[in-house]
Structures are given as C-alpha cells and as structure tokens.
C-alpha cells in the first residue's frame, strides 16, 4: 500500500510541477478561475466547443444525459454560442485515469464528471476552475443556489484550496433496506437507533439462526458511526482525527462491529460484494446500502416485498448519513477565459432544477440535490407511483455528510479510505483485535 501511495504522490507532484511550469501568469489566472467578479468574462465573442467527458453507462441514464445535452445545445448553447460535445470515457476510475493523462498532456476536457477525491487530486494543478465567482455573480450567477441541499453545497466548497471547485450532479445516500413480509410475520419493528438495531438483530438470530444485518460500505459504516458517536473522521487538510485525537471513538465503533459479528447477528458482504443479492434471495432480512441499489433489487427478485427506512442514529444531536455521488468539474488547461465561462454555463444547466428533476424521475435511482425537486408535484407523483424508496434518503438530507477529499505530502483521502476498509475487514472478518487493526492502519497511512 505504501508503494502505491508513494507512486501516486509522485504522479500528482509531477502533475503540479508540469502545470505550474507550462503556464504564463495570465493563463494561470484564467485557468484557475480565480478572477474577481468584476473581471469575469461573461460573454463569448465567437462560438466555442466544450468537451465533456463522463462515465454514464446505464442506458436509461445515458439517454437522459443525451437529451439534456441536446437541450443545452438548443437553448443556452444556441443563445450564447456554446456547443457541448459529450464523450463516454469508461468507468469512474477509468475516466479519472484518462483525465490525469490529458491534464499532463495539456489537453484535458473542459468539463468532466468526477468523484470528490479525484477533484482533490486535480487541484494539485492550477487547472481546476473556481466556480464561486460565477455562482455569486449578479448577471450570470445561480440565483437559486441555496436550493441545493446545504450538505452538498458545503461538500463542493470544502477542498484544501479555497473556492468552489465542483457542483453536485448525481447524488445518493445510504438507506436501510428491510424485508417487509419478514418483519410483519415476526412482529418486528424497524430499528431507528443502534440499541434498537442490536435488539432487533438478536431477535432475528433467534428466529433464523443466521446473521440479521450487514452494511455494504464498510469504510462508509466506519465514517458514519464515528460521526454518530460524536467523533471526527478526517478533514480536507488531511488530518486523520480518528487515528489521533479521537481513537476512543474509533475503537468504540470497531468493538461494536466485532461484538455483533462475534455474536452472529451481523456480517459483512464477503464474496457477495453487495448485500442486494443475499437480501433479494432472502438470506438476510435487513441491510444498509446506497439508495441507488433500489433499482437493482426488483430484477433479482421481483416478488420480494421490501421497503426502505432512514438509517439508525445514535442521537438527533449527532445524526449523520453519508452522501456521495458524481460531481461535475470545469478544467481549463489553455487559459481561455471564454471557454471557462462556457463550461460554467453548461455546469449551471445540468445542475439546475429541470435537469435534476429529469435525472431523479427518469429511473436512475439517484436522489434529488435540490429542495425544489423534492417539493415538486412531478417528484411527488413519481414517489407515489411505486418509488417511495426515494423518501428514506431524502428525509435525511439535513444530516448528510461527505467524505473529506484531500491529497497531501503523506497520503490521500482515497488511500485512507482503502486502509479503513482493510481495518474493518480485519476486525469483522478475520477476528483481529480493534487496537491491533487501528495500529495497522496507522502504519499503512504513515502515522507510525
């Protein structure tokens, strides 16, 4: 793992040096998008073409995206002289690798989908456009910006570098999936706290003789429970609180997992990778997974009577629910200020109320990023037509949190995430003592 981290850090350092050495001062200002509002370029003197790279492969979602791009080209694009050219560039990780290579070559796309940790890596260069001056501009700004859920807004303005370097576009959160018929048959109540969860799982174990609960995202479960128990995970500056100041909370979470796995009431996904399969096959009656998984369960067992609920909490004061998904980013390797503005106009369009509504009610499984979408009659009708699984995720929007994204001289948020997953597997699958597993993580991420 240390070798992988070292190689990655060397790559990002090389990227940073190459970027800084290849641009003039004027280009750096235009490329980083740090212009003051009164000097923003807000008009296009001649038609521009925007290259947009994405990783949307689901046919339903891809069709929605195609329609949105056609709409932007036919409306604001035609008005302002902007043409958006989309290109599918593989999975999220493949897209990331391709963007890194393009940045090094100086021909990166003008706009790309990304995950937040990838944005932190791109920020090792000066090519990421700061969207904040555009968003707040009285002429071209996003007047309903505060309509986007606060947790999602904060996530995209909380990188190590000051500014807003991405916007949310495809959002999901974690929900509790449960087998309705099993719960009704056995007079069980869906748990809302972790004490209730342990009690319910104990009852289910007595009924079935098997584990009752699992959590798809082991690293995510650790992040969530650390926050719910009043601790801190990491931050955008690379402080790894749970392995330093808040080790008592980290050990509490690890012991919770170990105790319940040892009792046979919790389990990990193991070779199944995700719990949607065992859940659909009625091997386990309850699990926490991403809200987008709701689109896969019916195909695995169309007769299963299931529902979703908010994930359990420790208390209302420390309520936390992990939110994730794609963000959208503008890059400017050429210093062309008009292209930077055109990229912003495209981003503004695809994160708008109309675009988000199309994605949410189009069958993608993604959640609203805007309160106005939740309040719309179209969304309410969609939920009432058999898509009420969406409400469990949206109901927790006030406690959304995000995984901090960072890249520093020691490690990266992605490397910490991987180390946390390994730590959780050591405790839950291999019987390693929590203190030993936490110390192993410290060595892996360079704290020992």
């Amino acid at each position: 793992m240390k070798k992988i981290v070292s190689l990655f850090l060397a790559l990002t350092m090389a990227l940073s040096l190459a970027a800084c050495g290849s641009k003039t001062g004027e280009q750096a200002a235009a490329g980083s998008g740090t212009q003051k509002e009164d000097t923003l370029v807000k008009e296009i003197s001649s038609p521009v073409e925007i290259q947009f790279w994405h990783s949307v492969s689901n046919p339903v979602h891809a069709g929605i995206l195609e329609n949105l791009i056609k709409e932007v080209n036919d409306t604001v694009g035609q008005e302002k002289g902007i043409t958006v050219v989309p290109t599918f560039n593989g999975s999220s990780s493949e897209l990331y690798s391709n963007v890194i290579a393009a940045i090094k070559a100086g021909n990166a796309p003008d706009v790309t989908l990304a995950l937040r940790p990838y944005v932190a890596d791109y920020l090792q260069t000066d090519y990421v456009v700061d969207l904040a001056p555009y968003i707040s501009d009285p002429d071209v700004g996003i007047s309903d910006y505060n309509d986007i859920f606060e947790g999602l807004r904060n996530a995209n303005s909380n990188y190590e570098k000051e500014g807003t370097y991405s916007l949310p576009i495809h959002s999901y959160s974690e929900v509790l999936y449960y087998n309705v018929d099993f719960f009704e048959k056995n007079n069980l109540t869906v748990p809302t706290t972790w004490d209730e969860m342990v009690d319910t799982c104990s009852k289910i174990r007595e009924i079935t003789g098997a584990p009752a609960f699992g959590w798809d995202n082991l690293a995510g479960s650790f992040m969530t429970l650390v926050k719910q128990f009043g601790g801190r995970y990491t931050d955008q500056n690379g402080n790894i609180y749970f392995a330093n100041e808040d080790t008592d909370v980290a050990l509490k979470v690890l012991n919770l997992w170990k105790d319940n796995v040892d009792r046979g009431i919790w389990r990990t996904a193991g070779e199944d990778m995700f719990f949607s399969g065992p859940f659909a096959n009625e091997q386990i009656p309850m699990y926490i997974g991403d809200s987008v998984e709701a689109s896969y369960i019916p195909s695995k067992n169309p007769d299963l009577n299931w529902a979703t609920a908010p994930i359990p909490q420790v208390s209302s004061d420390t309520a936390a629910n992990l939110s994730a998904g794609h963000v959208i980013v503008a890059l400017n390797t050429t210093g062309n200020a008009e292209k930077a503005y055109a990229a912003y106009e495209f981003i503004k369009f695809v994160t708008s109320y109309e675009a988000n509504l199309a994605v949410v009610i189009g069958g993608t499984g993604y959640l609203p990023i805007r309160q106005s979408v939740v309040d719309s009659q179209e969304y309410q009708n969609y939920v009432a037509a058999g898509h009420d699984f969406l409400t469990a995720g949206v109901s927790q929007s006030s406690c959304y949190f995000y995984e901090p994204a960072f890249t520093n001289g020691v490690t990266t948020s992605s490397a910490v995430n991987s180390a946390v997953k390994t730590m959780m597997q050591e405790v839950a699958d291999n019987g390693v003592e929590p203190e030993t597993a936490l110390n192993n993580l410290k060595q892996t991420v360079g704290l020992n």
Side-chain angles (χ1 to χ4, degrees):
M1 173 65 72
K2 285 186 177 179
K3 286 185 177 180
I4 294 173
V5 173
S6 297
L7 286 171
F8 175 79
L9 291 172
L11 170 62
T12 54
M13 184 175 294
L15 265 176
S16 181
L17 291 173
C20 293
S22 64
K23 297 200 310 186
T24 66
E26 181 181 356
Q27 286 176 321
S32 64
T34 56
Q35 305 170 87
K36 294 181 180 179
E37 289 184 18
D38 58 357
T39 63
L40 279 185
V41 171
K42 297 180 285 189
E43 293 182 354
I44 296 170
S45 59
S46 58
V48 297
E49 188 173 270
I50 296 300
Q51 297 296 323
F52 169 51
W53 291 6
H54 67 86
S55 55
V56 177
S57 59
N58 179 286
V60 172
H61 193 181
I64 294 170
L65 181 61
E66 181 181 350
N67 288 336
L68 287 174
I69 292 172
K70 182 179 185 304
E71 186 175 352
V72 73
N73 284 336
D74 290 344
T75 56
V76 66
Q78 190 173 72
E79 174 192 345
K80 295 180 178 291
I82 303 169
T83 300
V84 179
V85 179
T87 301
F88 172 73
N89 240 297
S91 66
S92 291
S93 59
E94 290 169 337
L95 173 60
Y96 164 73
S97 297
N98 291 333
V99 170
I100 287 288
I103 288 176
K104 290 178 66 177
N107 58 1
D110 304 293
V111 180
T112 181
L113 285 188
L115 303 178
R116 289 189 66 256
Y118 300 162
V119 182
D121 296 342
Y122 301 154
L123 281 168
Q124 300 307 298
T125 75
D126 290 327
Y127 293 144
V128 187
V129 177
D130 182 3
L131 302 172
Y134 298 102
I135 292 170
S136 61
D137 186 83
D139 299 320
V140 301
I142 302 177
S143 59
D144 59 350
Y145 185 61
N146 287 342
D147 180 45
I148 297 174
F149 294 130
E150 182 179 11
L152 301 182
R153 296 198 311 272
N154 291 343
N156 291 277
S157 60
N158 202 3
Y159 298 101
E160 186 175 8
K161 186 183 293 186
E162 184 177 354
T164 300
Y165 292 98
S166 58
L167 285 184
I169 183 169
H170 304 140
S171 178
Y172 58 81
S173 69
E174 294 190 309
V175 297
L176 178 67
Y177 292 90
Y178 67 98
N179 184 320
V180 173
D181 289 343
F182 180 89
F183 270 69
E184 290 181 350
K185 177 182 177 181
N186 294 286
N187 297 314
L188 297 171
T189 302
V190 178
T192 61
T193 69
W194 290 104
D195 287 340
E196 291 176 1
M197 172 65 80
V198 171
D199 180 62
T200 301
C201 289
S202 298
K203 293 176 180 177
I204 293 173
R205 171 77 185 188
E206 292 177 2
I207 297 168
T208 66
F213 169 76
W215 201 320
D216 270 349
N217 185 348
L218 281 177
S221 78
F222 180 81
M223 296 176 211
T224 300
L225 290 171
V226 162
K227 289 184 69 68
Q228 287 193 13
F229 281 116
R232 294 169 295 174
Y233 179 63
T234 62
D235 65 16
Q236 74 274 18
N237 297 313
N239 293 307
I240 307 176
Y241 296 111
F242 72 85
N244 290 303
E245 296 96 325
D246 294 342
T247 54
D248 56 333
V249 179
L251 291 173
K252 186 173 184 178
V253 172
L254 293 173
N255 278 300
L256 175 68
W257 262 96
K258 187 176 188 305
D259 290 347
N260 289 316
V261 169
D262 288 348
R263 291 179 58 193
I265 62 175
W266 289 12
R267 56 161 283 197
T268 64
E271 294 181 357
D272 292 308
M273 301 297 290
F274 297 97
F275 276 105
S276 55
F279 179 72
N281 295 331
E282 301 186 61
Q283 296 171 355
I284 193 166
M286 180 171 49
Y287 81 101
I288 289 177
D290 293 336
S291 53
V292 291
E293 282 203 34
S295 62
Y296 296 101
I297 294 172
S299 64
K300 296 178 179 181
N301 185 353
D303 298 324
L304 182 68
N305 183 15
W306 58 277
T308 60
I311 69 169
Q313 301 289 339
V314 172
S315 74
S316 57
D317 293 335
T318 60
N321 180 278
L322 180 60
S323 177
H326 291 125
V327 298
I328 191 163
V329 185
L331 301 171
N332 191 343
T333 58
T334 65
N336 186 322
E338 291 191 6
K339 270 203 164 187
Y341 167 59
Y344 160 74
E345 285 288 354
F346 172 56
I347 289 174
K348 180 169 71 171
F349 185 94
V350 293
T351 58
S352 67
Y353 163 83
E354 291 81 7
N356 184 225
L357 180 65
V359 169
V360 171
I361 68 174
T364 64
Y366 285 110
L367 300 177
I369 63 171
R370 290 175 167 275
Q371 184 62 47
S372 59
V373 171
V374 176
D375 296 338
S376 69
Q377 191 59 55
E378 293 91 338
Y379 174 78
Q380 298 299 328
N381 292 342
Y382 182 73
V383 169
H387 303 95
D388 55 351
F389 65 84
L390 291 168
T391 60
V394 173
S395 69
Q396 300 173 99
S397 60
S398 63
C399 62
Y400 281 170
F401 78 95
Y402 49 89
E403 178 183 358
F406 63 85
T407 295
N408 58 32
V410 178
T411 188
T412 69
S413 51
S414 297
V416 174
N417 182 298
S418 179
V420 168
K421 181 179 179 181
T422 297
M423 176 180 68
M424 293 291 289
Q425 289 172 330
E426 287 179 343
V427 171
D429 291 332
N430 302 326
V432 175
E433 288 300 317
E435 293 85 353
T436 301
L438 185 57
N439 283 330
N440 291 342
L441 176 140
K442 290 181 181 181
Q443 289 185 332
T444 299
V445 299
L447 294 180
N448 280 349

